[in-house]
Amino acid sequence: MKSILLIEDHDRLAEILSRKFREYDVRIAANGLEGLNLIEERTPDLIITDLNMPLMDGVTFIKNCKATMKIIVLTNCPDMLGVKKLKRDITLMIKNEVDLQDVCQMVRSLI
């Protein structure tokens, strides 16, 4: 079964997204540090991460992510300076305002 690592500090959004991807093995981390620990246990087929999170933000997470993986950044973050530096490491960047069905289609096309 394909797997998705969802790194999101808002419980409600994490719950909604995990339900949308029931056909995959979805693991959830509340911050980048938890995400790195879950990657050590098992490498996911796809990562969906927020940028603004406690303990370790999404930019720091991506910088510390050793393996080459497909990474989707799902964020409302207005400050994209750090993200632009990581452009080569990000598969897709999605603003939170995008329709959830569109996000689902994008994820399914990548996994």
Side-chain angles (χ1 to χ4, degrees), residues 85-111:
K85 292 178 185 175
L86 297 172
K87 191 72 172 155
R88 62 181 168 74
D89 298 323
I90 297 172
T91 306
L92 185 61
M93 167 117 24
I94 304 171
K95 292 280 192 177
N96 274 357
E97 300 92 39
V98 172
D99 182 81
L100 194 53
Q101 283 305 111
D102 291 340
V103 172
C104 292
Q105 286 179 334
M106 291 176 211
V107 166
R108 288 184 177 101
S109 73
L110 290 171
I111 200 163

Side-chain angles (χ1 to χ4, degrees), residues 24-105:
Y24 304 109
D25 174 23
V26 178
R27 293 178 299 152
I28 299 172
N31 59 64
L33 189 57
E34 284 181 24
L36 288 175
N37 290 333
L38 288 175
I39 289 172
E40 286 182 18
E41 293 173 17
R42 181 172 161 219
T43 303
D45 295 294
L46 178 71
I47 297 170
I48 301 172
T49 186
D50 188 7
L51 289 181
N52 293 324
M53 298 177 288
L55 296 180
M56 181 185 287
D57 65 20
V59 172
T60 306
F61 164 78
I62 294 167
K63 285 180 184 176
N64 285 283
C65 204
K66 303 277 189 263
T68 303
M69 291 177 238
K70 294 176 185 173
I71 299 174
I72 294 176
V73 173
L74 183 62
T75 189
N76 276 334
C77 183
D79 177 23
M80 304 307 278
L81 184 62
V83 176
K84 287 180 181 171
K85 292 178 185 175
L86 297 172
K87 191 72 172 155
R88 62 181 168 74
D89 298 323
I90 297 172
T91 306
L92 185 61
M93 167 117 24
I94 304 171
K95 292 280 192 177
N96 274 357
E97 300 92 39
V98 172
D99 182 81
L100 194 53
Q101 283 305 111
D102 291 340
V103 172
C104 292
Q105 286 179 334

